[in-house]
Structures are given as structure tokens and as C-alpha cells.
Amino acid sequence: MAGLSDPALGDPVLLGVDPARHAYAGAGHRWADDATLAYRPLAEHLVGRCALTPNNRAVLDAGAGTGAVGAVLAAAGALVTSCDLEHDMLCGDRGVSRAGSAVVADIAALPFRNSMFDIAVAGFVLNHVADPVGGLSELGRVTRTGGVVLASVFGEERAPAKEAIDAVLVTRGWQAPTWYRALHERAAALATSDQLAGAAVRAGLVEAEVDCTNVDVGLDDPALIVRYRFGMPQVSVFLDTLTASARAAIVADAIEAVERTGTSFRPSVVELVARVS
Ligand SMILES: C[S@@+](CC[C@H](N)C(=O)[O-])C[C@H]1O[C@@H](n2cnc3c(N)ncnc32)[C@H](O)[C@@H]1O
């Protein structure tokens, strides 16, 4: 019988099955403990661009995951509401950001009334969804006039450390999951400043400023870079199938491979700051 990935059946998304949709189910703990090593500094970088001071502002962290963005905003005095498609990701939040409430919700159809937030943020979420313009429109709808929408996605340039780690994984039998390959294709359509700015304009946002930068996430120790990377669901599910010694061998190889790149880890990130009119 033909599988869903059979080319004869066409694009699974067009068939109504989105392989990337629930990719983060069950990923909460690994994300909070490991992937956040990079995502927290990335959140700090994005929030640092906010045109409103967060103190006492009502803020939505959409696609919050385990709360990396919300934690930064809560530390700055914001009243944070988190939402994510995955209950498990929200449960992985160690409670740092959850000053407000957390809701399982799709960014495509947010369960909030119009204009109820001062600031809405989507950290590395729009690159996951089939309709990023729809997601941005929803962020704009729930944000008051004059409020701010912030969003980040990864840029086109792939960090050498990521390539090196993935190459080691492949030699050890890892295959990128179908959802991850689908996500890559989707992300490529939103990986440049022009693409993200265009999406913001189509979503009706104004005063859009978009920058593509290599962000110093402070991970200069190759072991930490590997730990962050191995905390991501496209890898952690595979690692969980291995024995402790097999895992340890892969970690050691990956650390060596990152060292060999001889470059610092500065992921390319595209960030949007826009206003709601
Ligand atoms: C790369 S993680 C980023 C998490 C968090 N913003 C951070 O910076 O650590 C992407 C998150 O988006 C969530 N997500 C994916 N599609 C979504 C959707 N349609 N609506 C809401 N959240 C979604 C995933 O469950 C996951 O938690």
C-alpha cells in the first residue's frame, strides 16, 4: 500500500495532512533543558528590539514552546499569556514566564478577542506554519492599535556547527524525519528579510522593520552547542532509541566535529518589528 510520502500521492500538506504540524508533541522537557540554551539568548535578542517597554504590558507569546520569549518578557515586568499548539511544550515551561496563563492554541486562529494585547511575539514559529501571513494577521488582530508585533525566523545561511552535527548523525543512522524536511521547505519561503517584510505587509502590519543578523547566543563551548542541538525533536526522538553508550559516542563525535569547524556559533536570524494600525 502506498504511504503518505509516496510521490504518487502528492504533497501531504495539500492532502490535508501537515507532517510538520505536531512535530513538537512530547518535546517539552528536552526543549526546556537543552534547546533553550540557544533559544533563550535568541529570545533576548528579539525582545531587545521591542519598540515598547514591556513593563506592565499585556503580552502574547505565541508558539511559546517552553516559554523562552515569555521568560524574558516576564523578567522585564510584562504580563505574559503563552499559547502553543502543544500542551506538552507549555508543560515544559519551568514556570519562569508563566506569570499569566497558558493556552493550547493555533496561531492561525487565536482564541483571544481583538486588541487585547500591547505586544504579540512569535519566536521561531511562523517558519513552522503553512500560512505565515495568516499567523501574522492573527497577531495583529489581537494586538491593540499602536501595539507591537515581533517575530523571528532563521535566515538562509546555515551555521557550520549545525551542518557538522547533522553529518555526524547521518553517519550514525539518523535520517531527518519527514516533518523536518517539510519544515525546511516551508522555512525557506520565509528566510530572507524581503520575505518576512512582505508577509508583514500582506498581514496588514505597518512600520515593518526587518533585519537579518548573525546572533551571538554565547554558546562558545562545542559541548553546549551539541546539547542544544540534541534537544531538538528532529534529533532527540532518534537519540532516545539508542543505548546510553551509543548516545555518548555520538555526542563525543559531534563535539569533535563542531570543534573542527573552527568557527563560532552565530545563527543567522531574521527579526521583524512592526506596529498595528
Ligand atoms: C522552534 S519552537 C519555538 C518555541 C519558542 N518560541 C522558543 O523560542 O523557544 C516552535 C514552537 O511553535 C509551536 N507551533 C508550531 N506550529 C504552531 C501553530 N500552528 N500554532 C501555535 N504554535 C505552533 C511548536 O509546538 C513549538 O513549540
Side-chain angles (χ1 to χ4, degrees):
M1 199 176 104
L4 271 179
S5 59
D6 187 324
L9 287 175
D11 182 343
V13 177
L14 298 179
L15 287 168
V17 178
D18 180 350
R21 185 163 171 83
H22 286 294
Y24 280 65
H29 281 305
R30 291 294 203 92
W31 193 272
D33 292 341
D34 300 330
T36 299
L37 287 169
Y39 280 84
R40 168 74 188 226
L42 289 169
E44 282 165 0
H45 197 270
L46 178 63
V47 170
R49 298 180 51 112
C50 188
L52 289 175
T53 48
N55 191 33
N56 279 328
R57 307 278 188 189
V59 174
L60 174 65
D61 180 6
T66 60
V69 173
V72 175
L73 286 158
L79 311 165
V80 179
T81 298
S82 311
C83 75
D84 197 280
L85 206 51
E86 301 302 336
H87 179 260
D88 175 74
M89 289 294 278
L90 293 170
C91 289
D93 186 338
R94 299 289 187 258
V96 189
S97 68
R98 200 76 58 68
S101 53
V103 183
V104 174
D106 191 330
I107 197 170
L110 293 169
F112 306 111
R113 60 182 164 75
N114 293 354
S115 309
M116 69 177 276
F117 297 103
D118 299 299
I119 302 167
V121 192
F124 302 99
V125 186
L126 295 170
N127 46 318
H128 280 245
V129 300
D131 177 14
V133 174
L136 278 169
S137 300
E138 275 295 88
L139 295 179
R141 179 186 65 76
V142 300
T143 305
R144 66 165 169 84
T145 301
V148 171
V149 171
L150 292 171
S152 55
V153 296
F154 284 109
E156 287 179 305
E157 178 194 310
R158 215 168 132 74
K162 287 187 186 178
E163 297 285 5
I165 292 170
D166 286 6
V168 166
L169 285 165
V170 167
T171 65
R172 296 289 187 146
W174 174 77
Q175 288 182 324
T178 306
W179 68 259
Y180 186 62
R181 284 184 271 126
L183 198 68
H184 257 242
E185 280 174 30
R186 190 170 285 177
L190 199 68
T192 69
S193 297
D194 284 350
Q195 287 166 334
L196 188 54
V201 169
R202 288 201 295 286
L205 301 175
V206 296
E207 298 176 33
E209 288 178 23
V210 183
D211 269 335
C212 181
T213 37
N214 288 86
V215 178
D216 182 357
V217 291
L219 293 184
D220 293 326
D221 177 352
L224 291 181
I225 298 169
V226 171
R227 191 173 142 196
Y228 127 71
R229 196 78 189 137
F230 282 7
M232 304 193 68
Q234 70 270 20
V235 182
S236 62
V237 170
F238 165 75
L239 293 176
D240 286 345
T241 66
L242 305 178
T243 62
S245 62
R247 262 201 312 276
I250 296 183
V251 168
D253 280 0
I255 291 172
E256 265 184 48
V258 171
E259 283 167 353
R260 276 198 302 275
T261 66
T263 57
S264 50
F265 180 55
R266 306 278 184 272
S268 166
V269 173
V270 186
E271 293 169 327
L272 163 75
V273 191
R275 291 274 186 178
V276 174
S277 64

